[in-house]
Amino acid sequence: MTHHHHHHDHHHAPQIQALPSLLRLSAVQRLAAAGSLSVLIWLAIFWAMQ
């Protein structure tokens, strides 16, 4: 068996690697991140409708 499974650990998507750091945030920081994300989404919606 010449399969090297340990090399696949470095090829995850950045979103997967960002999840543990998001879980370490405080509740206020998570609310701020969610709020700013929803503002960005609404801005994109309004921009697309014009």
Side-chain angles (χ1 to χ4, degrees):
M1 300 289 283
T2 57
H3 296 290
H4 299 288
H5 292 290
H6 60 274
H7 288 299
H8 296 292
D9 293 335
H10 302 290
H11 296 292
H12 288 300
Q15 290 87 3
I16 297 174
Q17 292 176 346
L19 280 177
S21 61
L22 281 176
L23 292 176
R24 277 187 232 113
L25 293 175
S26 68
V28 175
Q29 288 172 320
R30 273 180 275 178
L31 281 174
S36 58
L37 185 63
S38 64
V39 166
L40 284 175
I41 291 172
W42 277 111
L43 285 175
I45 291 172
F46 287 132
W47 175 76
M49 285 194 305
Q50 291 183 1

